[in-house]
Amino acid sequence: MSMMTEGEYRYNMLIKTFASTPEPAFETEAEQVRVWGRRWGCNNDVGHLRMVLMHRPGDELKIVDPAKRLPDIGAFGDVEQGWYWRGDKIPPLAEMQAQHDALVAALREEGTEVVFLDGCTPGKMKSCYTRDSMIAVDGGAIVTRLGPPIRRGEEGPVTRTLARIGMPILRTIHGTGILEGGSFAWINPKTAVLGVSSRCNDEGARQLAEVLRAMGVELILVPLTGYRLHIDGNFVMIDADTALINPTQLPFWFLEKLKELRVRTIEVSHEDRAGIVNCLTVRPGRLIMPEGVSERTREKIERLQISIRVVPYEAMALGGGGIHCSTGPLIRDPL
């Protein structure tokens, strides 16, 4: 009696001949180009920014009602609807759009392709801060799960946009995980940091770390103080070995870790306007910053052969996010 049928033998020989090949890895350039058409994602925060996700503020901001003042908090908002606006001033939409347009123009002049969000979920008035709704890693993107009700729902348009341009989605944060991209940063291609806060919980961090672990990347978790949201208000890489920091809002052990990783730090001062750290590196040695950088800080940055391009962004920042928040990197040159 035969051990197997002729059909079984032929099938097994066929599959053996055309075997599965786990190598090269998904995120290697050759595999990315062959399967996905180009190399996607980022393994750093300072390589030439080739493609970025943005959203021009629009009708979704009509939900903001200046009559709904919260005097005890010094802000505007509606708890039932879930929207809020920080501070005492709501700028005209046209002013916000003009500043956003100027940032888009600057990025294009710096050699960056700008991809706009495919639509916007009605009422999601913080959709212009595209950094938070996705994280680019080597080979693709992680769609995050935003924390507060006013932001939950931004994930859909981001997912549709990534699908349209053909960018692989490696993970969508799910379950009870919450994660926002403004609290994630690359330090180097094998080390990243996440600020854990009310917007980025342990479960979101665990799911992010799981994706990074497959790439051999260590994720450092830095608990933020009080109700601070994201690490990008206090830490951002501005060159391959240089970070701009607010040392008063980062734990000492993290400052020591940066030294261990041979990252030199430039500390902002009391002379800098709030939001200066929320800037964007467009390529090694080139930085886009908002107005308000002090001469003291500018001199320290330029001494390291890093040039600064200033873009007015105060009106956009009044909505709760700066230049860094308004840009979701999709592709950077690898380091």
mmCIF file of all heavy atoms in Angstrom, residues 45-75:
data_model
loop_
_atom_site.group_PDB
_atom_site.id
_atom_site.type_symbol
_atom_site.label_atom_id
_atom_site.label_comp_id
_atom_site.label_asym_id
_atom_site.label_seq_id
_atom_site.Cartn_x
_atom_site.Cartn_y
_atom_site.Cartn_z
ATOM 1 N N ASP A 45 14.168 60.710 13.213
ATOM 2 C CA ASP A 45 13.405 61.961 13.161
ATOM 3 C C ASP A 45 14.165 63.095 12.489
ATOM 4 O O ASP A 45 13.742 64.255 12.567
ATOM 5 C CB ASP A 45 13.019 62.406 14.579
ATOM 6 C CG ASP A 45 11.769 61.714 15.082
ATOM 7 O OD1 ASP A 45 11.056 61.090 14.275
ATOM 8 O OD2 ASP A 45 11.506 61.780 16.304
ATOM 9 N N VAL A 46 15.295 62.775 11.821
ATOM 10 C CA VAL A 46 16.107 63.860 11.274
ATOM 11 C C VAL A 46 16.526 63.665 9.818
ATOM 12 O O VAL A 46 17.016 64.609 9.189
ATOM 13 C CB VAL A 46 17.372 64.098 12.139
ATOM 14 C CG1 VAL A 46 16.984 64.493 13.553
ATOM 15 C CG2 VAL A 46 18.268 62.868 12.158
ATOM 16 N N GLY A 47 16.358 62.466 9.265
ATOM 17 C CA GLY A 47 16.680 62.263 7.855
ATOM 18 C C GLY A 47 15.798 63.135 6.976
ATOM 19 O O GLY A 47 14.747 63.619 7.411
ATOM 20 N N HIS A 48 16.206 63.350 5.731
ATOM 21 C CA HIS A 48 15.436 64.206 4.836
ATOM 22 C C HIS A 48 13.967 63.767 4.826
ATOM 23 O O HIS A 48 13.654 62.623 4.530
ATOM 24 C CB HIS A 48 16.008 64.143 3.424
ATOM 25 C CG HIS A 48 15.528 65.257 2.548
ATOM 26 N ND1 HIS A 48 16.342 65.891 1.646
ATOM 27 C CD2 HIS A 48 14.314 65.860 2.433
ATOM 28 C CE1 HIS A 48 15.656 66.842 1.013
ATOM 29 N NE2 HIS A 48 14.418 66.825 1.475
ATOM 30 N N LEU A 49 13.093 64.694 5.165
ATOM 31 C CA LEU A 49 11.661 64.426 5.207
ATOM 32 C C LEU A 49 11.131 64.446 3.776
ATOM 33 O O LEU A 49 10.985 65.501 3.165
ATOM 34 C CB LEU A 49 10.959 65.475 6.064
ATOM 35 C CG LEU A 49 9.458 65.323 6.265
ATOM 36 C CD1 LEU A 49 9.112 63.996 6.936
ATOM 37 C CD2 LEU A 49 8.910 66.484 7.094
ATOM 38 N N ARG A 50 10.824 63.262 3.243
ATOM 39 C CA ARG A 50 10.406 63.153 1.849
ATOM 40 C C ARG A 50 8.897 63.282 1.663
ATOM 41 O O ARG A 50 8.428 63.744 0.623
ATOM 42 C CB ARG A 50 10.871 61.805 1.288
ATOM 43 C CG ARG A 50 12.367 61.612 1.308
ATOM 44 C CD ARG A 50 13.071 62.570 0.356
ATOM 45 N NE ARG A 50 14.520 62.383 0.366
ATOM 46 C CZ ARG A 50 15.357 63.051 -0.407
ATOM 47 N NH1 ARG A 50 14.901 63.965 -1.241
ATOM 48 N NH2 ARG A 50 16.660 62.832 -0.336
ATOM 49 N N MET A 51 8.129 62.831 2.657
ATOM 50 C CA MET A 51 6.666 62.875 2.535
ATOM 51 C C MET A 51 6.065 63.079 3.923
ATOM 52 O O MET A 51 6.524 62.478 4.903
ATOM 53 C CB MET A 51 6.138 61.580 1.913
ATOM 54 C CG MET A 51 4.627 61.572 1.678
ATOM 55 S SD MET A 51 4.020 59.969 1.042
ATOM 56 C CE MET A 51 4.705 59.988 -0.618
ATOM 57 N N VAL A 52 5.048 63.928 3.988
ATOM 58 C CA VAL A 52 4.435 64.252 5.277
ATOM 59 C C VAL A 52 2.919 64.334 5.126
ATOM 60 O O VAL A 52 2.399 64.724 4.079
ATOM 61 C CB VAL A 52 5.013 65.583 5.818
ATOM 62 C CG1 VAL A 52 4.568 66.758 4.957
ATOM 63 C CG2 VAL A 52 4.641 65.807 7.265
ATOM 64 N N LEU A 53 2.204 63.946 6.174
ATOM 65 C CA LEU A 53 0.739 63.999 6.205
ATOM 66 C C LEU A 53 0.294 65.264 6.920
ATOM 67 O O LEU A 53 0.749 65.554 8.033
ATOM 68 C CB LEU A 53 0.190 62.769 6.930
ATOM 69 C CG LEU A 53 -1.334 62.669 7.050
ATOM 70 C CD1 LEU A 53 -1.964 62.470 5.679
ATOM 71 C CD2 LEU A 53 -1.723 61.518 7.986
ATOM 72 N N MET A 54 -0.625 66.014 6.276
ATOM 73 C CA MET A 54 -1.120 67.252 6.877
ATOM 74 C C MET A 54 -2.617 67.406 6.612
ATOM 75 O O MET A 54 -3.184 66.713 5.761
ATOM 76 C CB MET A 54 -0.351 68.460 6.327
ATOM 77 C CG MET A 54 1.144 68.425 6.628
ATOM 78 S SD MET A 54 2.037 69.901 6.056
ATOM 79 C CE MET A 54 1.484 71.123 7.247
ATOM 80 N N HIS A 55 -3.242 68.320 7.344
ATOM 81 C CA HIS A 55 -4.653 68.652 7.111
ATOM 82 C C HIS A 55 -4.858 70.144 7.327
ATOM 83 O O HIS A 55 -4.561 70.674 8.396
ATOM 84 C CB HIS A 55 -5.579 67.871 8.048
ATOM 85 C CG HIS A 55 -7.012 68.314 7.940
ATOM 86 N ND1 HIS A 55 -7.780 68.092 6.815
ATOM 87 C CD2 HIS A 55 -7.798 69.008 8.808
ATOM 88 C CE1 HIS A 55 -8.988 68.610 6.992
ATOM 89 N NE2 HIS A 55 -9.022 69.176 8.192
ATOM 90 N N ARG A 56 -5.341 70.825 6.295
ATOM 91 C CA ARG A 56 -5.625 72.263 6.398
ATOM 92 C C ARG A 56 -6.879 72.456 7.250
ATOM 93 O O ARG A 56 -7.935 71.870 6.968
ATOM 94 C CB ARG A 56 -5.843 72.835 5.009
ATOM 95 C CG ARG A 56 -5.964 74.357 4.940
ATOM 96 C CD ARG A 56 -6.074 74.776 3.485
ATOM 97 N NE ARG A 56 -5.873 76.209 3.292
ATOM 98 C CZ ARG A 56 -6.860 77.066 3.067
ATOM 99 N NH1 ARG A 56 -8.119 76.631 2.985
ATOM 100 N NH2 ARG A 56 -6.597 78.353 2.878
ATOM 101 N N PRO A 57 -6.811 73.257 8.307
ATOM 102 C CA PRO A 57 -7.997 73.458 9.148
ATOM 103 C C PRO A 57 -9.163 73.999 8.333
ATOM 104 O O PRO A 57 -8.971 74.835 7.436
ATOM 105 C CB PRO A 57 -7.519 74.457 10.207
ATOM 106 C CG PRO A 57 -6.304 75.105 9.626
ATOM 107 C CD PRO A 57 -5.675 74.074 8.743
ATOM 108 N N GLY A 58 -10.365 73.501 8.646
ATOM 109 C CA GLY A 58 -11.521 73.892 7.849
ATOM 110 C C GLY A 58 -12.815 73.885 8.637
ATOM 111 O O GLY A 58 -12.850 74.276 9.816
ATOM 112 N N ASP A 59 -13.883 73.394 8.007
ATOM 113 C CA ASP A 59 -15.226 73.478 8.584
ATOM 114 C C ASP A 59 -15.368 72.758 9.913
ATOM 115 O O ASP A 59 -16.282 73.065 10.696
ATOM 116 C CB ASP A 59 -16.252 72.916 7.599
ATOM 117 C CG ASP A 59 -16.484 73.841 6.410
ATOM 118 O OD1 ASP A 59 -16.080 75.022 6.493
ATOM 119 O OD2 ASP A 59 -17.077 73.390 5.413
ATOM 120 N N GLU A 60 -14.499 71.786 10.182
ATOM 121 C CA GLU A 60 -14.597 71.057 11.457
ATOM 122 C C GLU A 60 -14.430 71.993 12.650
ATOM 123 O O GLU A 60 -14.888 71.684 13.765
ATOM 124 C CB GLU A 60 -13.558 69.934 11.512
ATOM 125 C CG GLU A 60 -12.104 70.351 11.610
ATOM 126 C CD GLU A 60 -11.467 70.722 10.286
ATOM 127 O OE1 GLU A 60 -12.166 70.669 9.239
ATOM 128 O OE2 GLU A 60 -10.262 71.063 10.295
ATOM 129 N N LEU A 61 -13.814 73.159 12.436
ATOM 130 C CA LEU A 61 -13.607 74.105 13.532
ATOM 131 C C LEU A 61 -14.857 74.923 13.858
ATOM 132 O O LEU A 61 -14.876 75.659 14.843
ATOM 133 C CB LEU A 61 -12.442 75.039 13.197
ATOM 134 C CG LEU A 61 -11.062 74.418 13.460
ATOM 135 C CD1 LEU A 61 -9.994 75.105 12.659
ATOM 136 C CD2 LEU A 61 -10.736 74.465 14.937
ATOM 137 N N LYS A 62 -15.905 74.767 13.041
ATOM 138 C CA LYS A 62 -17.147 75.491 13.329
ATOM 139 C C LYS A 62 -17.812 75.019 14.617
ATOM 140 O O LYS A 62 -18.688 75.700 15.152
ATOM 141 C CB LYS A 62 -18.112 75.348 12.148
ATOM 142 C CG LYS A 62 -17.660 76.095 10.893
ATOM 143 C CD LYS A 62 -18.633 75.918 9.740
ATOM 144 C CE LYS A 62 -18.182 76.690 8.506
ATOM 145 N NZ LYS A 62 -19.110 76.496 7.359
ATOM 146 N N ILE A 63 -17.395 73.857 15.112
ATOM 147 C CA ILE A 63 -17.943 73.364 16.372
ATOM 148 C C ILE A 63 -17.503 74.229 17.549
ATOM 149 O O ILE A 63 -18.146 74.262 18.597
ATOM 150 C CB ILE A 63 -17.530 71.887 16.600
ATOM 151 C CG1 ILE A 63 -18.381 71.262 17.703
ATOM 152 C CG2 ILE A 63 -16.045 71.763 16.938
ATOM 153 C CD1 ILE A 63 -18.125 69.773 17.878
ATOM 154 N N VAL A 64 -16.411 74.965 17.371
ATOM 155 C CA VAL A 64 -15.874 75.813 18.440
ATOM 156 C C VAL A 64 -16.772 77.040 18.590
ATOM 157 O O VAL A 64 -16.884 77.859 17.678
ATOM 158 C CB VAL A 64 -14.424 76.238 18.129
ATOM 159 C CG1 VAL A 64 -13.909 77.179 19.218
ATOM 160 C CG2 VAL A 64 -13.537 75.010 18.009
ATOM 161 N N ASP A 65 -17.410 77.159 19.737
ATOM 162 C CA ASP A 65 -18.377 78.224 20.000
ATOM 163 C C ASP A 65 -17.788 79.199 21.020
ATOM 164 O O ASP A 65 -17.630 78.849 22.194
ATOM 165 C CB ASP A 65 -19.674 77.612 20.541
ATOM 166 C CG ASP A 65 -20.768 78.631 20.742
ATOM 167 O OD1 ASP A 65 -20.499 79.844 20.597
ATOM 168 O OD2 ASP A 65 -21.910 78.224 21.065
ATOM 169 N N PRO A 66 -17.464 80.430 20.611
ATOM 170 C CA PRO A 66 -16.866 81.396 21.550
ATOM 171 C C PRO A 66 -17.794 81.792 22.692
ATOM 172 O O PRO A 66 -17.340 82.394 23.668
ATOM 173 C CB PRO A 66 -16.528 82.594 20.664
ATOM 174 C CG PRO A 66 -17.379 82.441 19.448
ATOM 175 C CD PRO A 66 -17.583 80.976 19.250
ATOM 176 N N ALA A 67 -19.079 81.459 22.582
ATOM 177 C CA ALA A 67 -20.012 81.765 23.665
ATOM 178 C C ALA A 67 -19.862 80.782 24.830
ATOM 179 O O ALA A 67 -20.340 81.046 25.942
ATOM 180 C CB ALA A 67 -21.447 81.729 23.150
ATOM 181 N N LYS A 68 -19.221 79.671 24.584
ATOM 182 C CA LYS A 68 -19.094 78.635 25.618
ATOM 183 C C LYS A 68 -17.753 78.781 26.337
ATOM 184 O O LYS A 68 -16.822 78.000 26.159
ATOM 185 C CB LYS A 68 -19.265 77.254 25.000
ATOM 186 C CG LYS A 68 -20.679 77.064 24.453
ATOM 187 C CD LYS A 68 -20.961 75.658 24.020
ATOM 188 C CE LYS A 68 -22.427 75.518 23.608
ATOM 189 N NZ LYS A 68 -22.770 74.148 23.172
ATOM 190 N N ARG A 69 -17.696 79.812 27.158
ATOM 191 C CA ARG A 69 -16.496 80.131 27.921
ATOM 192 C C ARG A 69 -16.495 79.332 29.210
ATOM 193 O O ARG A 69 -17.531 79.150 29.853
ATOM 194 C CB ARG A 69 -16.495 81.626 28.237
ATOM 195 C CG ARG A 69 -15.288 82.110 28.981
ATOM 196 C CD ARG A 69 -14.205 82.540 28.021
ATOM 197 N NE ARG A 69 -13.123 83.215 28.748
ATOM 198 C CZ ARG A 69 -11.967 82.649 29.046
ATOM 199 N NH1 ARG A 69 -11.715 81.426 28.674
ATOM 200 N NH2 ARG A 69 -11.038 83.315 29.705
ATOM 201 N N LEU A 70 -15.334 78.853 29.590
ATOM 202 C CA LEU A 70 -15.155 78.145 30.858
ATOM 203 C C LEU A 70 -14.270 79.022 31.741
ATOM 204 O O LEU A 70 -13.040 78.843 31.792
ATOM 205 C CB LEU A 70 -14.499 76.775 30.623
ATOM 206 C CG LEU A 70 -15.225 75.831 29.656
ATOM 207 C CD1 LEU A 70 -14.366 74.614 29.347
ATOM 208 C CD2 LEU A 70 -16.569 75.397 30.244
ATOM 209 N N PRO A 71 -14.874 79.988 32.429
ATOM 210 C CA PRO A 71 -14.076 81.002 33.133
ATOM 211 C C PRO A 71 -13.166 80.435 34.214
ATOM 212 O O PRO A 71 -12.063 80.949 34.434
ATOM 213 C CB PRO A 71 -15.136 81.937 33.728
ATOM 214 C CG PRO A 71 -16.390 81.128 33.762
ATOM 215 C CD PRO A 71 -16.315 80.207 32.596
ATOM 216 N N ASP A 72 -13.602 79.390 34.885
ATOM 217 C CA ASP A 72 -12.775 78.828 35.947
ATOM 218 C C ASP A 72 -11.528 78.133 35.410
ATOM 219 O O ASP A 72 -10.551 77.934 36.137
ATOM 220 C CB ASP A 72 -13.587 77.827 36.784
ATOM 221 C CG ASP A 72 -14.700 78.498 37.568
ATOM 222 O OD1 ASP A 72 -14.602 79.725 37.780
ATOM 223 O OD2 ASP A 72 -15.654 77.809 37.962
ATOM 224 N N ILE A 73 -11.576 77.749 34.133
ATOM 225 C CA ILE A 73 -10.451 77.038 33.523
ATOM 226 C C ILE A 73 -9.639 77.956 32.616
ATOM 227 O O ILE A 73 -8.475 77.690 32.330
ATOM 228 C CB ILE A 73 -10.968 75.819 32.712
ATOM 229 C CG1 ILE A 73 -11.741 74.862 33.639
ATOM 230 C CG2 ILE A 73 -9.829 75.070 32.044
ATOM 231 C CD1 ILE A 73 -12.340 73.678 32.919
ATOM 232 N N GLY A 74 -10.247 79.067 32.181
ATOM 233 C CA GLY A 74 -9.556 79.954 31.256
ATOM 234 C C GLY A 74 -9.492 79.365 29.867
ATOM 235 O O GLY A 74 -8.457 79.433 29.187
ATOM 236 N N ALA A 75 -10.611 78.779 29.431
ATOM 237 C CA ALA A 75 -10.652 78.119 28.122
ATOM 238 C C ALA A 75 -12.085 78.145 27.621
ATOM 239 O O ALA A 75 -12.990 78.704 28.261
ATOM 240 C CB ALA A 75 -10.137 76.682 28.238
#
